[in-house]
Amino acid sequence: MKAFTISTALALLTSLVSAAPATTPHEARQFRAQITFIGAANGLFFQSVPTDGSVFSITGDLSVSMIRSEGGATCTFNGIDGSSTTVVGAQTVDVGPPQTQISGSCRAF
Protein backbone atom coordinates (compact mmCIF):
# COMPACT_ATOMS: atom_id res chain seq x y z
CA MET A 1 0.00 0.00 0.00
CA LYS A 2 2.85 2.35 0.86
CA ALA A 3 4.52 1.74 -2.54
CA PHE A 4 1.21 2.41 -4.31
CA THR A 5 0.75 5.72 -2.45
CA ILE A 6 4.29 6.86 -3.21
CA SER A 7 4.06 5.94 -6.89
CA THR A 8 0.67 7.67 -7.19
CA ALA A 9 2.08 10.81 -5.56
CA LEU A 10 5.09 10.78 -7.88
CA ALA A 11 2.88 10.32 -10.95
CA LEU A 12 0.68 13.23 -9.85
CA LEU A 13 3.70 15.46 -9.21
CA THR A 14 5.23 14.57 -12.59
CA SER A 15 2.00 15.44 -14.41
CA LEU A 16 1.80 18.82 -12.64
CA VAL A 17 5.40 19.70 -13.47
CA SER A 18 5.05 18.72 -17.11
CA ALA A 19 1.84 20.76 -17.40
CA ALA A 20 3.58 23.97 -16.26
CA PRO A 21 4.31 26.35 -19.14
CA ALA A 22 7.96 26.62 -20.05
CA THR A 23 9.45 30.11 -20.04
CA THR A 24 12.63 31.18 -21.69
CA PRO A 25 15.06 33.51 -19.89
CA HIS A 26 13.97 36.31 -22.26
CA GLU A 27 10.27 35.82 -21.40
CA ALA A 28 11.10 35.97 -17.70
CA ARG A 29 12.62 39.46 -18.18
CA GLN A 30 9.56 40.94 -19.92
CA PHE A 31 8.08 44.06 -18.36
CA ARG A 32 6.78 47.42 -19.54
CA ALA A 33 9.35 50.21 -19.72
CA GLN A 34 8.31 53.56 -18.26
CA ILE A 35 9.18 56.34 -20.72
CA THR A 36 8.84 60.11 -20.27
CA PHE A 37 8.75 62.36 -23.33
CA ILE A 38 9.81 65.92 -22.45
CA GLY A 39 9.17 69.03 -24.53
CA ALA A 40 9.54 72.78 -24.19
CA ALA A 41 7.96 74.80 -21.38
CA ASN A 42 7.81 71.78 -19.04
CA GLY A 43 5.47 69.90 -21.37
CA LEU A 44 5.68 66.15 -20.96
CA PHE A 45 3.79 62.90 -21.25
CA PHE A 46 4.38 59.34 -20.12
CA GLN A 47 3.99 56.03 -21.87
CA SER A 48 4.36 52.47 -20.60
CA VAL A 49 5.76 50.39 -23.48
CA PRO A 50 6.46 46.69 -24.15
CA THR A 51 10.05 45.42 -23.97
CA ASP A 52 9.69 42.47 -26.35
CA GLY A 53 11.17 44.20 -29.40
CA SER A 54 7.81 44.93 -31.02
CA VAL A 55 7.20 48.30 -32.67
CA PHE A 56 4.65 50.47 -30.84
CA SER A 57 3.00 53.81 -31.64
CA ILE A 58 3.66 56.84 -29.50
CA THR A 59 0.45 58.52 -28.39
CA GLY A 60 1.50 62.13 -27.72
CA ASP A 61 1.81 64.90 -30.30
CA LEU A 62 4.21 67.04 -28.25
CA SER A 63 7.40 68.24 -29.97
CA VAL A 64 9.87 66.21 -27.89
CA SER A 65 13.32 67.54 -26.96
CA MET A 66 14.33 64.80 -24.45
CA ILE A 67 13.36 61.18 -23.73
CA ARG A 68 13.83 59.62 -20.30
CA SER A 69 13.69 55.92 -19.41
CA GLU A 70 13.46 54.46 -15.91
CA GLY A 71 15.77 51.64 -17.07
CA GLY A 72 15.88 47.91 -17.73
CA ALA A 73 15.74 48.13 -21.51
CA THR A 74 17.31 49.57 -24.63
CA CYS A 75 14.78 51.64 -26.59
CA THR A 76 14.91 53.38 -29.96
CA PHE A 77 12.38 56.06 -30.87
CA ASN A 78 11.55 57.43 -34.31
CA GLY A 79 10.58 61.05 -34.93
CA ILE A 80 8.13 62.39 -37.48
CA ASP A 81 10.95 64.23 -39.28
CA GLY A 82 13.30 61.24 -39.35
CA SER A 83 15.15 61.42 -36.03
CA SER A 84 16.25 58.20 -34.34
CA THR A 85 16.96 58.39 -30.61
CA THR A 86 18.31 55.47 -28.57
CA VAL A 87 18.05 55.32 -24.78
CA VAL A 88 20.01 52.60 -22.98
CA GLY A 89 18.99 51.87 -19.40
CA ALA A 90 18.05 54.60 -16.95
CA GLN A 91 19.01 57.86 -18.60
CA THR A 92 17.71 60.99 -20.32
CA VAL A 93 18.74 61.59 -23.93
CA ASP A 94 18.37 64.69 -26.11
CA VAL A 95 16.29 64.45 -29.29
CA GLY A 96 17.83 66.43 -32.12
CA PRO A 97 16.23 68.31 -33.59
CA PRO A 98 13.15 68.34 -31.30
CA GLN A 99 10.16 66.72 -32.99
CA THR A 100 7.04 64.65 -32.41
CA GLN A 101 7.88 60.99 -31.82
CA ILE A 102 5.76 58.52 -33.77
CA SER A 103 7.04 55.02 -32.94
CA GLY A 104 9.51 53.07 -30.88
CA SER A 105 10.81 49.66 -29.95
CA CYS A 106 12.33 48.40 -26.68
CA ARG A 107 14.15 45.24 -25.70
CA ALA A 108 14.67 44.21 -22.07
CA PHE A 109 18.25 43.63 -20.91
Side-chain angles (χ1 to χ4, degrees):
M1 183 69 170
K2 200 182 250 186
F4 176 75
T5 303
I6 292 172
S7 63
T8 302
L10 287 175
L12 178 61
L13 183 59
T14 302
S15 68
L16 290 174
V17 169
S18 65
T23 58
T24 64
H26 181 69
E27 289 172 336
R29 293 190 314 259
Q30 294 301 309
F31 68 99
R32 295 188 69 81
Q34 304 307 308
I35 307 298
T36 304
F37 298 92
I38 305 163
N42 297 323
L44 55 86
F45 67 95
F46 306 93
Q47 193 162 332
S48 178
V49 300
T51 58
D52 61 0
S54 62
V55 176
F56 52 84
S57 296
I58 297 173
T59 58
D61 59 358
L62 178 71
S63 180
V64 174
S65 56
M66 292 185 289
I67 301 173
R68 178 179 24 213
S69 171
E70 298 301 318
T74 297
C75 301
T76 299
F77 301 96
N78 305 300
I80 197 165
D81 294 326
S83 72
S84 178
T85 305
T86 299
V87 181
V88 179
Q91 66 174 335
T92 302
V93 176
D94 290 333
V95 175
Q99 58 195 274
T100 300
Q101 300 299 294
I102 55 173
S103 66
S105 177
C106 295
R107 175 108 18 217
F109 293 149

